[in-house]
Amino acid sequence: MSFVRMATEIVSGWKMRSIFLVFFLTWGTSAFAQNHHGLEDSLRELVPDGYFVTETIYGDLNKDSQEDVVLIIKGTDPNKVVVDEFRGEVDLNRRGIVVALRNQQKYELVVENLNCFYSEEEDGGVYFVPDIYTKIEKGKLYILFAHGRYGHWRYNFRYQGEDFELIGYDRSANRGPTVEVVTSINYLTKKMLVKENINRHEEHADPIFKESWTSFTLDKRFKLSEINDFSEFGDGLRE
């Protein structure tokens, strides 16, 4: 084989591979876009009219190895944007939560609770309103309210029967750096643990907790879709 012919075949082969590579990348990208087009559309369809998304959280909520989604949404009613005497213009539109499970190339709505959270611009009085954080971990949905020096409280939800059921509640009541009382409620076992720091009035003293367990009855299960206002719900046992 002559050098010219060999060079021609090498160039031809390189061209064919280049054409194939371009075709593959173009087809692959197109196929990828097509595969995710419906997924993106179904995600957009989860947002109700008059709301926008402030946070998107992904994770597996039903143990099927697919990434489900939680959306934190906020209303856009212009009448809820008011002028505060001291803080100026504030947006008091409430926030809500949307939870959907992924089914191949689409999301299927499970929970839509549009106004269960207060606005982040609510007047907290002498202190700010608690920050709200949402996390998916080990198949559970956690909603945490962080209140700085006053402590925090957290709700633990699990997917159950086409809704998300409250299975746990934890609260730490603080005074600055001092933890005063820790409460942990298990709604499955119907038991509550309260740990009281008997050194809470001693400045700079190490905490010493006195534990007490109690059992309770539960007439109904608390579902995420049915909690109208988390700020009034508390641990639910008062209802």
Side-chain angles (χ1 to χ4, degrees):
M1 181 182 297
S2 68
F3 174 80
V4 173
R5 182 179 176 185
M6 183 183 297
T8 301
E9 290 188 359
I10 290 173
V11 170
S12 298
W14 178 85
K15 286 182 177 179
M16 288 300 296
R17 286 194 296 272
S18 298
I19 293 171
F20 175 77
L21 179 61
V22 170
F23 170 79
F24 175 78
L25 291 176
T26 303
W27 179 87
T29 302
S30 175
F32 181 85
Q34 289 175 1
N35 286 339
H36 285 74
H37 181 68
L39 191 64
E40 293 170 356
D41 285 346
S42 65
L43 183 60
R44 284 191 291 268
E45 290 171 0
L46 294 174
V47 185
D49 293 339
Y51 290 82
F52 69 95
V53 177
T54 64
E55 187 178 5
T56 305
I57 304 98
Y58 294 97
D60 187 1
L61 285 165
N62 59 344
K63 299 180 180 180
D64 64 352
S65 300
Q66 296 189 88
E67 270 203 334
D68 309 309
V69 68
V70 174
L71 304 178
I72 303 301
I73 58 175
K74 183 177 174 67
T76 59
D77 184 352
N79 294 320
K80 298 293 179 63
V81 180
V82 300
V83 177
D84 182 87
E85 180 181 0
F86 302 103
R87 298 184 296 148
E89 186 176 274
V90 291
D91 184 352
L92 298 183
N93 276 285
R94 293 179 64 84
R95 292 171 289 176
I97 187 169
V98 172
V99 185
L101 302 180
R102 181 170 174 175
N103 182 4
Q104 300 303 321
Q105 294 305 313
K106 64 179 180 178
Y107 289 108
E108 297 179 346
L109 179 66
V110 177
V111 170
E112 183 182 80
N113 193 334
L114 302 183
N115 301 293
C116 57
F117 302 131
Y118 47 74
S119 166
E120 70 279 11
E121 296 186 13
E122 289 283 354
D123 186 357
V126 296
Y127 204 56
F128 61 80
V129 295
D131 293 321
I132 303 174
Y133 300 96
T134 308
K135 180 174 70 170
I136 297 172
E137 183 176 341
K138 296 181 179 179
K140 308 295 193 306
L141 172 61
Y142 293 94
I143 301 175
L144 171 72
F145 291 75
H147 206 199
R149 67 189 183 201
Y150 294 112
H152 61 270
W153 55 99
R154 184 183 70 171
Y155 300 89
N156 178 3
F157 291 92
R158 183 179 67 182
Y159 179 61
Q160 186 76 27
E162 300 183 353
D163 207 322
F164 281 81
E165 181 181 305
L166 182 65
I167 63 172
Y169 173 85
D170 299 283
R171 183 182 184 99
S172 178
N174 300 6
R175 178 172 48 85
T178 302
V179 178
E180 296 189 315
V181 181
V182 175
T183 304
S184 182
I185 302 175
N186 188 319
Y187 294 93
L188 299 177
T189 63
K190 300 182 181 64
K191 293 185 181 297
M192 177 169 62
L193 170 63
V194 176
K195 298 194 297 184
E196 184 179 356
N197 180 10
I198 61 178
N199 270 354
R200 65 185 182 277
H201 299 301
E202 301 294 330
E203 190 174 2
H204 307 304
D206 292 333
I208 299 177
F209 292 100
K210 176 184 177 182
E211 296 187 359
S212 61
W213 285 90
T214 57
S215 299
F216 58 89
T217 58
L218 197 62
D219 296 331
K220 66 172 185 176
R221 296 292 189 183
F222 302 115
K223 298 179 180 180
L224 179 58
S225 65
E226 298 175 352
I227 300 177
N228 294 324
D229 190 339
F230 272 91
S231 59
E232 296 179 357
F233 178 74
D235 57 28
L237 296 182
R238 295 169 297 180
E239 296 193 349

